[in-house]
Amino acid sequence: MRAAPHKTDSVVLVTGATDGIGKETALELARLGARVIVHGRSEVRVAAAYEELQSVSELPPPPPVIADFASLAQVRALATELGRRGLPIDTLINNAGVYMKRRELSAEGIELTMAVNHFAHVLLTHLLLESPVGQS
């Protein structure tokens, strides 16, 4: 069964889109006509995922974004950057995540798995809903 076509020209932000499920989701949405914003924490991996996305997109994808979700300050900066761009986001796919074998703390002193997998997504979602880009 093939997925239903996505609304052409819709803008989708996929967090953690440089590998695994996030990358495959971003690529498939681009194939279906969405304009996908690639997010990741590594400049090199974001650039590689963005290049691959360009090869399957009919329309040029929006520039990618880089933010490490281990830092809530970087999540805030990401939301500010997206707001500055003024490109309305139709869909947000909160996919980024980590699996830690040992207890580690984020930049703000929060257990890292909770910071990245939960708090960063909640914060980003709320910031985008409060901004004009999240109200398309």
Side-chain angles (χ1 to χ4, degrees), residues 37-105:
I37 302 172
V38 170
H39 159 265
R41 64 182 169 185
S42 161
E43 232 176 287
V44 171
R45 291 178 67 182
V46 166
Y50 183 71
E51 186 176 314
E52 191 171 347
L53 189 73
Q54 287 178 306
S55 72
V56 301
S57 299
E58 290 183 24
L59 299 169
V65 290
I66 299 170
D68 187 346
F69 278 17
S71 165
L72 296 180
Q74 286 193 35
V75 174
R76 287 183 183 90
L78 170 63
T80 299
E81 168 61 20
L82 291 167
R84 185 191 63 73
R85 291 181 184 184
L87 184 63
I89 296 171
D90 299 299
T91 306
L92 170 61
I93 298 178
N94 286 316
N95 170 73
V98 296
Y99 170 74
M100 308 305 295
K101 292 183 180 183
R102 293 191 182 93
R103 178 177 161 81
E104 292 186 40
L105 299 178

Side-chain angles (χ1 to χ4, degrees), residues 3-62:
H6 199 272
K7 180 182 134 201
T8 304
D9 290 351
S10 64
V11 178
V12 180
L13 170 59
V14 180
T15 69
T18 61
D19 193 27
I21 293 170
K23 183 176 176 183
E24 291 305 315
T25 299
L27 291 170
E28 187 60 24
L29 287 169
R31 286 184 193 103
L32 293 171
R35 297 185 62 209
V36 179
I37 302 172
V38 170
H39 159 265
R41 64 182 169 185
S42 161
E43 232 176 287
V44 171
R45 291 178 67 182
V46 166
Y50 183 71
E51 186 176 314
E52 191 171 347
L53 189 73
Q54 287 178 306
S55 72
V56 301
S57 299
E58 290 183 24
L59 299 169

